[in-house]
Amino acid sequence: MEFQLDHAKEILRRTPATLNSLLRHLPEEWALSNEGPESWSPFDVVGHLIHGEEADWIPRAKIIMEYGEKRTFEPFDRFAMFEKSRGQSLGDLLDRFEQLRGESLKELEGMNLRPEMLGKRGMHPELGVVTLSHLLSTWVVHDLSHIGQVVKVMAKQYTEAVGAWQVYLSVLRR
Amino acid sequence: MEFQLDHAKEILRRTPATLNSLLRHLPEEWALSNEGPESWSPFDVVGHLIHGEEADWIPRAKIIMEYGEKRTFEPFDRFAMFEKSRGQSLGDLLDRFEQLRGESLKELEGMNLRPEMLGKRGMHPELGVVTLSHLLSTWVVHDLSHIGQVVKVMAKQYTEAVGAWQVYLSVLRR
Protein backbone atom coordinates (compact mmCIF):
# COMPACT_ATOMS: atom_id res chain seq x y z
CA MET A 1 0.00 0.00 0.00
CA GLU A 2 1.27 3.47 -0.76
CA PHE A 3 1.64 6.07 1.95
CA GLN A 4 -1.36 8.39 2.24
CA LEU A 5 -1.10 11.28 4.63
CA ASP A 6 -4.77 11.33 5.60
CA HIS A 7 -4.71 7.60 6.35
CA ALA A 8 -1.55 7.93 8.38
CA LYS A 9 -3.05 10.72 10.48
CA GLU A 10 -6.20 8.67 10.97
CA ILE A 11 -4.17 5.79 12.43
CA LEU A 12 -1.82 7.97 14.50
CA ARG A 13 -4.79 9.77 16.02
CA ARG A 14 -6.17 6.49 17.39
CA THR A 15 -3.16 5.23 19.31
CA PRO A 16 -3.77 7.06 22.61
CA ALA A 17 -7.33 5.70 22.78
CA THR A 18 -6.14 2.20 21.94
CA LEU A 19 -3.53 2.30 24.71
CA ASN A 20 -6.06 3.74 27.15
CA SER A 21 -8.45 0.97 26.39
CA LEU A 22 -5.78 -1.70 26.78
CA LEU A 23 -3.98 -0.32 29.79
CA ARG A 24 -5.65 2.39 31.87
CA HIS A 25 -6.47 1.20 35.39
CA LEU A 26 -5.17 -2.25 34.54
CA PRO A 27 -3.94 -4.15 37.64
CA GLU A 28 -0.36 -3.10 38.20
CA GLU A 29 1.15 -6.54 37.78
CA TRP A 30 -0.13 -6.55 34.19
CA ALA A 31 1.16 -3.09 33.39
CA LEU A 32 4.58 -3.61 34.94
CA SER A 33 5.42 -7.20 33.98
CA ASN A 34 7.79 -7.71 31.08
CA GLU A 35 9.01 -10.77 29.16
CA GLY A 36 12.16 -11.23 31.22
CA PRO A 37 15.56 -9.48 31.35
CA GLU A 38 16.14 -6.75 28.74
CA SER A 39 12.49 -6.73 27.73
CA TRP A 40 9.86 -4.02 28.11
CA SER A 41 6.66 -3.86 30.11
CA PRO A 42 3.56 -2.03 28.81
CA PHE A 43 4.64 0.81 31.14
CA ASP A 44 8.03 0.96 29.41
CA VAL A 45 6.41 0.95 25.96
CA VAL A 46 4.22 3.95 26.75
CA GLY A 47 7.31 5.78 28.05
CA HIS A 48 9.12 4.95 24.81
CA LEU A 49 6.22 6.28 22.74
CA ILE A 50 6.31 9.51 24.74
CA HIS A 51 9.98 9.93 23.99
CA GLY A 52 9.22 9.38 20.30
CA GLU A 53 6.80 12.32 20.30
CA GLU A 54 9.39 14.50 21.99
CA ALA A 55 12.51 13.53 20.12
CA ASP A 56 11.73 11.58 16.99
CA TRP A 57 8.80 12.07 14.66
CA ILE A 58 7.92 15.75 14.47
CA PRO A 59 11.46 16.94 15.31
CA ARG A 60 12.82 14.85 12.44
CA ALA A 61 10.06 15.94 10.07
CA LYS A 62 10.99 19.53 10.84
CA ILE A 63 14.67 18.85 10.15
CA ILE A 64 13.74 17.39 6.77
CA MET A 65 11.55 20.40 5.95
CA GLU A 66 14.15 22.95 7.04
CA TYR A 67 17.50 21.37 6.23
CA GLY A 68 16.85 18.42 3.93
CA GLU A 69 19.80 16.04 3.76
CA LYS A 70 22.22 18.67 5.07
CA ARG A 71 21.46 18.05 8.71
CA THR A 72 21.64 14.51 10.01
CA PHE A 73 18.96 13.56 12.57
CA GLU A 74 19.99 13.27 16.21
CA PRO A 75 20.28 9.57 17.09
CA PHE A 76 17.15 8.43 18.93
CA ASP A 77 17.65 6.97 22.40
CA ARG A 78 15.52 3.82 22.51
CA PHE A 79 16.07 3.44 26.24
CA ALA A 80 15.52 7.00 27.43
CA MET A 81 12.23 6.08 29.07
CA PHE A 82 13.82 3.91 31.76
CA GLU A 83 15.14 7.10 33.34
CA LYS A 84 12.41 9.49 32.25
CA SER A 85 9.40 7.42 33.39
CA ARG A 86 10.81 6.86 36.86
CA GLY A 87 8.38 7.80 39.63
CA GLN A 88 5.44 8.24 37.29
CA SER A 89 2.28 6.18 37.20
CA LEU A 90 0.97 4.45 34.12
CA GLY A 91 -1.95 6.91 34.18
CA ASP A 92 0.53 9.82 34.12
CA LEU A 93 2.26 8.34 31.10
CA LEU A 94 -0.98 7.67 29.23
CA ASP A 95 -2.10 11.25 29.87
CA ARG A 96 1.23 12.62 28.72
CA PHE A 97 1.26 10.51 25.59
CA GLU A 98 -2.27 11.57 24.68
CA GLN A 99 -1.36 15.22 25.11
CA LEU A 100 1.88 14.97 23.13
CA ARG A 101 0.28 12.98 20.32
CA GLY A 102 -2.41 15.64 20.02
CA GLU A 103 0.27 18.31 19.75
CA SER A 104 2.26 16.29 17.22
CA LEU A 105 -0.79 15.92 15.00
CA LYS A 106 -1.47 19.64 15.21
CA GLU A 107 2.09 20.34 14.17
CA LEU A 108 1.78 17.88 11.31
CA GLU A 109 -1.43 19.59 10.25
CA GLY A 110 0.32 22.95 10.45
CA MET A 111 3.00 21.79 8.01
CA ASN A 112 0.36 21.76 5.25
CA LEU A 113 2.16 18.97 3.50
CA ARG A 114 1.33 18.78 -0.18
CA PRO A 115 1.92 15.45 -1.94
CA GLU A 116 5.04 16.68 -3.72
CA MET A 117 6.65 17.54 -0.36
CA LEU A 118 6.47 13.94 0.85
CA GLY A 119 9.46 12.96 -1.26
CA LYS A 120 11.69 15.52 0.46
CA ARG A 121 14.88 13.87 1.65
CA GLY A 122 16.58 13.75 5.02
CA MET A 123 19.67 12.08 6.47
CA HIS A 124 19.36 9.33 9.07
CA PRO A 125 22.52 8.78 11.18
CA GLU A 126 22.56 5.04 10.45
CA LEU A 127 20.24 4.43 7.51
CA GLY A 128 21.41 7.24 5.25
CA VAL A 129 18.99 8.96 2.91
CA VAL A 130 15.31 8.69 3.81
CA THR A 131 12.26 10.68 2.78
CA LEU A 132 9.54 12.47 4.67
CA SER A 133 7.02 9.86 3.57
CA HIS A 134 9.33 7.08 4.84
CA LEU A 135 9.48 8.86 8.19
CA LEU A 136 5.72 9.30 8.46
CA SER A 137 5.06 5.71 7.35
CA THR A 138 7.54 4.52 9.97
CA TRP A 139 5.69 6.53 12.62
CA VAL A 140 2.52 4.59 11.77
CA VAL A 141 4.23 1.20 11.73
CA HIS A 142 6.10 2.04 14.95
CA ASP A 143 2.79 2.77 16.75
CA LEU A 144 1.21 -0.44 15.51
CA SER A 145 4.28 -2.48 16.32
CA HIS A 146 4.36 -1.23 19.93
CA ILE A 147 0.66 -1.88 20.40
CA GLY A 148 1.51 -5.39 19.23
CA GLN A 149 4.32 -5.53 21.77
CA VAL A 150 1.98 -4.49 24.59
CA VAL A 151 -0.51 -7.25 23.84
CA LYS A 152 2.25 -9.83 23.34
CA VAL A 153 3.85 -9.01 26.70
CA MET A 154 0.46 -9.23 28.36
CA ALA A 155 -0.38 -12.52 26.65
CA LYS A 156 2.89 -14.06 27.78
CA GLN A 157 2.00 -13.58 31.44
CA TYR A 158 -0.45 -16.46 30.93
CA THR A 159 1.96 -18.82 29.15
CA GLU A 160 1.63 -21.41 31.90
CA ALA A 161 -1.94 -20.58 32.80
CA VAL A 162 -3.32 -21.73 29.43
CA GLY A 163 -2.17 -25.32 30.02
CA ALA A 164 -2.35 -27.56 26.94
CA TRP A 165 -3.62 -24.69 24.77
CA GLN A 166 -0.06 -23.37 24.64
CA VAL A 167 0.54 -25.31 21.43
CA TYR A 168 -2.18 -23.37 19.59
CA LEU A 169 -1.04 -19.92 20.73
CA SER A 170 1.96 -18.92 18.66
CA VAL A 171 2.05 -15.50 20.36
CA LEU A 172 3.48 -17.27 23.42
CA ARG A 173 6.55 -18.44 21.49
CA ARG A 174 7.56 -15.14 19.91
CA MET B 1 1.49 -15.24 36.43
CA GLU B 2 -1.33 -17.30 37.86
CA PHE B 3 -4.83 -17.04 36.45
CA GLN B 4 -7.05 -14.63 38.38
CA LEU B 5 -10.68 -14.47 37.40
CA ASP B 6 -11.13 -10.77 38.15
CA HIS B 7 -8.05 -9.87 36.10
CA ALA B 8 -9.22 -12.03 33.22
CA LYS B 9 -12.63 -10.35 33.19
CA GLU B 10 -10.97 -6.95 33.33
CA ILE B 11 -8.98 -7.72 30.17
CA LEU B 12 -11.81 -9.45 28.31
CA ARG B 13 -14.09 -6.49 28.99
CA ARG B 14 -11.69 -4.15 27.19
CA THR B 15 -11.35 -5.91 23.87
CA PRO B 16 -14.41 -4.42 22.11
CA ALA B 17 -13.24 -0.89 22.95
CA THR B 18 -9.71 -1.66 21.79
CA LEU B 19 -10.97 -2.99 18.47
CA ASN B 20 -13.31 -0.01 18.07
CA SER B 21 -10.46 2.35 18.64
CA LEU B 22 -8.21 0.55 16.18
CA LEU B 23 -10.74 -0.19 13.48
CA ARG B 24 -14.06 1.64 13.51
CA HIS B 25 -14.45 3.96 10.49
CA LEU B 26 -10.97 3.05 9.32
CA PRO B 27 -10.55 3.45 5.54
CA GLU B 28 -11.76 0.23 3.97
CA GLU B 29 -8.45 -0.70 2.38
CA TRP B 30 -6.92 -0.91 5.87
CA ALA B 31 -9.74 -2.98 7.29
CA LEU B 32 -9.93 -5.41 4.37
CA SER B 33 -6.27 -5.90 3.45
CA ASN B 34 -4.59 -9.07 4.64
CA GLU B 35 -1.00 -10.37 4.55
CA GLY B 36 -1.45 -12.37 1.35
CA PRO B 37 -3.09 -15.69 0.49
CA GLU B 38 -4.48 -17.72 3.42
CA SER B 39 -4.07 -14.78 5.80
CA TRP B 40 -6.67 -12.73 7.63
CA SER B 41 -7.66 -9.08 7.38
CA PRO B 42 -8.77 -7.09 10.46
CA PHE B 43 -12.33 -7.68 9.17
CA ASP B 44 -11.74 -11.45 9.23
CA VAL B 45 -10.27 -11.29 12.73
CA VAL B 46 -13.34 -9.53 14.15
CA GLY B 47 -15.54 -12.16 12.49
CA HIS B 48 -13.43 -14.90 14.07
CA LEU B 49 -13.75 -13.30 17.51
CA ILE B 50 -17.54 -13.18 17.06
CA HIS B 51 -17.60 -16.87 16.29
CA GLY B 52 -15.55 -17.49 19.44
CA GLU B 53 -18.21 -15.81 21.57
CA GLU B 54 -20.91 -17.89 19.92
CA ALA B 55 -19.24 -21.28 19.77
CA ASP B 56 -16.15 -21.42 21.94
CA TRP B 57 -15.61 -19.74 25.29
CA ILE B 58 -18.88 -19.67 27.21
CA PRO B 59 -20.32 -22.75 25.49
CA ARG B 60 -17.22 -24.73 26.49
CA ALA B 61 -17.21 -23.31 30.01
CA LYS B 62 -20.80 -24.52 30.35
CA ILE B 63 -19.89 -27.97 29.10
CA ILE B 64 -17.14 -28.18 31.72
CA MET B 65 -19.52 -27.05 34.47
CA GLU B 66 -22.29 -29.44 33.46
CA TYR B 67 -20.53 -32.50 32.12
CA GLY B 68 -16.86 -32.26 33.14
CA GLU B 69 -14.65 -34.60 31.14
CA LYS B 70 -17.58 -36.76 30.05
CA ARG B 71 -18.56 -34.56 27.15
CA THR B 72 -15.87 -33.60 24.64
CA PHE B 73 -16.10 -30.03 23.29
CA GLU B 74 -17.37 -29.52 19.78
CA PRO B 75 -14.38 -28.80 17.50
CA PHE B 76 -14.13 -25.04 16.87
CA ASP B 77 -14.26 -23.92 13.24
CA ARG B 78 -11.44 -21.39 12.84
CA PHE B 79 -12.68 -20.39 9.39
CA ALA B 80 -16.41 -20.07 10.01
CA MET B 81 -16.25 -16.29 9.69
CA PHE B 82 -15.43 -16.33 5.98
CA GLU B 83 -18.99 -17.48 5.35
CA LYS B 84 -20.68 -15.84 8.32
CA SER B 85 -19.29 -12.31 7.85
CA ARG B 86 -20.25 -12.16 4.18
CA GLY B 87 -22.25 -9.07 3.27
CA GLN B 88 -21.67 -7.36 6.61
CA SER B 89 -19.75 -4.16 7.22
CA LEU B 90 -16.88 -3.86 9.66
CA GLY B 91 -19.14 -1.63 11.77
CA ASP B 92 -21.75 -4.40 11.89
CA LEU B 93 -19.14 -6.87 13.08
CA LEU B 94 -17.74 -4.52 15.73
CA ASP B 95 -21.27 -3.90 17.05
CA ARG B 96 -22.02 -7.59 17.11
CA PHE B 97 -18.79 -8.45 18.87
CA GLU B 98 -19.38 -5.79 21.51
CA GLN B 99 -22.86 -7.09 22.15
CA LEU B 100 -21.79 -10.74 22.33
CA ARG B 101 -18.81 -10.02 24.56
CA GLY B 102 -21.11 -8.16 26.95
CA GLU B 103 -23.42 -11.17 27.05
CA SER B 104 -20.52 -13.58 27.54
CA LEU B 105 -19.25 -11.60 30.51
CA LYS B 106 -22.71 -11.57 32.03
CA GLU B 107 -22.91 -15.32 31.65
CA LEU B 108 -19.48 -15.69 33.20
CA GLU B 109 -20.59 -13.49 36.09
CA GLY B 110 -23.73 -15.60 36.46
CA MET B 111 -21.66 -18.76 36.89
CA ASN B 112 -20.47 -17.42 40.27
CA LEU B 113 -17.20 -19.22 39.89
CA ARG B 114 -15.47 -19.83 43.19
CA PRO B 115 -11.72 -20.47 43.13
CA GLU B 116 -12.09 -24.19 43.74
CA MET B 117 -14.28 -24.51 40.63
CA LEU B 118 -11.52 -23.25 38.33
CA GLY B 119 -9.75 -26.59 38.43
CA LYS B 120 -12.78 -28.41 37.07
CA ARG B 121 -11.77 -30.56 34.11
CA GLY B 122 -13.11 -30.79 30.59
CA MET B 123 -12.20 -32.74 27.45
CA HIS B 124 -10.79 -31.01 24.39
CA PRO B 125 -11.19 -32.96 21.12
CA GLU B 126 -7.48 -32.62 20.28
CA LEU B 127 -5.69 -31.52 23.44
CA GLY B 128 -7.29 -33.93 25.86
CA VAL B 129 -7.86 -32.94 29.49
CA VAL B 130 -7.99 -29.19 30.17
CA THR B 131 -9.36 -27.18 33.08
CA LEU B 132 -11.79 -24.30 33.34
CA SER B 133 -8.95 -21.97 34.31
CA HIS B 134 -6.97 -23.09 31.23
CA LEU B 135 -9.99 -22.27 29.10
CA LEU B 136 -10.50 -18.83 30.61
CA SER B 137 -6.77 -18.02 30.43
CA THR B 138 -6.80 -19.05 26.79
CA TRP B 139 -9.73 -16.73 26.14
CA VAL B 140 -7.61 -13.83 27.44
CA VAL B 141 -4.52 -14.80 25.45
CA HIS B 142 -6.64 -15.41 22.35
CA ASP B 143 -8.05 -11.86 22.54
CA LEU B 144 -4.61 -10.33 22.99
CA SER B 145 -3.11 -12.43 20.25
CA HIS B 146 -5.76 -11.36 17.73
CA ILE B 147 -5.36 -7.70 18.65
CA GLY B 148 -1.69 -8.30 17.91
CA GLN B 149 -2.63 -9.86 14.59
CA VAL B 150 -4.76 -6.84 13.64
CA VAL B 151 -1.93 -4.38 14.25
CA LYS B 152 0.61 -6.63 12.53
CA VAL B 153 -1.55 -6.94 9.40
CA MET B 154 -2.06 -3.19 9.37
CA ALA B 155 1.66 -2.50 9.88
CA LYS B 156 2.57 -4.77 6.98
CA GLN B 157 0.60 -2.64 4.53
CA TYR B 158 3.43 -0.12 4.88
CA THR B 159 6.30 -2.57 4.44
CA GLU B 160 7.52 -0.77 1.32
CA ALA B 161 6.39 2.69 2.39
CA VAL B 162 8.85 2.84 5.31
CA GLY B 163 11.87 2.65 2.97
CA ALA B 164 15.19 2.04 4.72
CA TRP B 165 13.49 1.86 8.14
CA GLN B 166 12.34 -1.66 7.26
CA VAL B 167 15.44 -3.08 8.92
CA TYR B 168 14.45 -1.66 12.32
CA LEU B 169 10.85 -2.86 12.21
CA SER B 170 10.81 -6.55 13.04
CA VAL B 171 7.00 -6.59 12.91
CA LEU B 172 7.31 -6.41 9.11
CA ARG B 173 9.17 -9.73 8.99
CA ARG B 174 6.84 -11.81 11.13
Side-chain angles (χ1 to χ4, degrees):
Chain A
M1 201 188 287
E2 285 197 18
F3 175 77
Q4 280 195 54
L5 184 58
D6 55 339
H7 287 188
K9 286 192 232 168
E10 179 59 30
I11 296 173
L12 292 169
R13 182 182 70 69
R14 291 159 180 257
T15 303
T18 303
L19 292 171
N20 272 329
S21 137
L22 282 170
L23 298 176
R24 194 174 291 264
H25 307 306
L26 198 69
E28 213 173 48
E29 56 190 293
W30 285 89
L32 298 181
S33 294
N34 61 21
E35 300 173 65
E38 311 282 303
S39 72
W40 295 4
S41 68
F43 180 86
D44 298 328
V45 171
V46 181
H48 169 74
L49 290 171
I50 286 173
H51 192 57
E53 299 305 296
E54 291 172 334
D56 191 339
W57 312 110
I58 291 293
R60 287 181 169 185
K62 284 180 173 170
I63 290 171
I64 292 177
M65 295 306 289
E66 282 181 49
Y67 305 97
E69 295 167 70
K70 291 202 198 81
R71 183 163 145 201
T72 303
F73 306 147
E74 294 292 319
F76 180 76
D77 181 356
R78 291 181 60 248
F79 305 100
M81 72 285 186
F82 290 115
E83 191 52 48
K84 286 180 58 188
S85 304
R86 212 183 290 273
Q88 299 197 62
S89 71
L90 178 63
D92 293 338
L93 296 188
L94 290 167
D95 288 343
R96 178 81 178 136
F97 177 63
E98 187 161 12
Q99 178 207 340
L100 288 171
R101 174 55 57 92
E103 291 169 11
S104 297
L105 290 175
K106 259 182 227 156
E107 295 222 51
L108 186 61
E109 204 63 53
M111 289 181 183
N112 284 313
L113 295 175
R114 296 184 306 278
E116 69 273 18
M117 294 154 84
L118 294 171
K120 220 170 142 32
R121 289 148 71 120
M123 186 58 70
H124 186 283
E126 288 182 354
L127 301 172
V129 174
V130 293
T131 69
L132 185 56
S133 95
H134 295 161
L135 175 71
L136 299 176
S137 305
T138 300
W139 192 3
V140 169
V141 173
H142 184 266
D143 266 26
L144 295 168
S145 130
H146 282 294
I147 295 167
Q149 183 182 20
V150 164
V151 291
K152 181 187 70 166
V153 175
M154 290 174 64
K156 283 192 171 181
Q157 306 308 318
Y158 271 180
T159 302
E160 303 300 326
V162 300
W165 265 288
Q166 247 187 60
V167 295
Y168 287 175
L169 297 162
S170 61
V171 65
L172 302 176
R173 290 183 292 281
R174 281 210 311 263
Chain B
M1 202 187 287
E2 284 198 20
F3 175 77
Q4 280 195 53
L5 184 57
D6 55 339
H7 287 188
K9 286 192 232 167
E10 180 59 29
I11 296 173
L12 291 169
R13 183 182 67 71
R14 292 159 180 257
T15 303
T18 302
L19 292 171
N20 273 329
S21 139
L22 282 169
L23 297 176
R24 193 172 295 260
H25 307 306
L26 198 70
E28 214 173 45
E29 56 191 293
W30 285 89
L32 298 181
S33 294
N34 60 22
E35 300 172 64
E38 310 283 303
S39 72
W40 295 4
S41 68
F43 180 86
D44 298 329
V45 171
V46 181
H48 169 73
L49 290 171
I50 286 172
H51 192 58
E53 299 305 295
E54 292 172 334
D56 192 337
W57 312 111
I58 291 292
R60 287 181 170 186
K62 284 179 173 172
I63 290 170
I64 292 178
M65 295 305 288
E66 282 182 49
Y67 304 96
E69 294 167 68
K70 291 202 199 82
R71 185 164 142 199
T72 303
F73 306 148
E74 293 293 317
F76 180 75
D77 181 355
R78 290 182 60 248
F79 306 101
M81 73 283 186
F82 289 116
E83 191 52 47
K84 286 180 59 188
S85 303
R86 212 182 290 274
Q88 299 197 63
S89 71
L90 179 62
D92 293 338
L93 296 188
L94 290 167
D95 288 343
R96 178 82 178 134
F97 177 61
E98 187 162 13
Q99 179 207 338
L100 289 171
R101 175 55 56 92
E103 291 169 12
S104 296
L105 290 174
K106 258 182 227 156
E107 296 222 51
L108 186 61
E109 203 64 54
M111 288 181 184
N112 285 312
L113 296 175
R114 296 183 306 278
E116 69 273 19
M117 294 152 82
L118 294 171
K120 219 170 145 28
R121 289 150 70 122
M123 186 59 69
H124 187 284
E126 288 181 354
L127 301 172
V129 174
V130 293
T131 69
L132 185 55
S133 95
H134 295 162
L135 175 70
L136 299 176
S137 305
T138 300
W139 192 1
V140 169
V141 173
H142 184 266
D143 267 27
L144 295 168
S145 130
H146 282 295
I147 295 167
Q149 183 182 20
V150 164
V151 292
K152 181 187 70 168
V153 174
M154 290 175 64
K156 284 192 170 179
Q157 307 308 317
Y158 270 0
T159 302
E160 304 300 325
V162 300
W165 265 288
Q166 245 186 64
V167 297
Y168 287 174
L169 297 162
S170 61
V171 65
L172 301 177
R173 291 182 293 282
R174 280 211 311 264

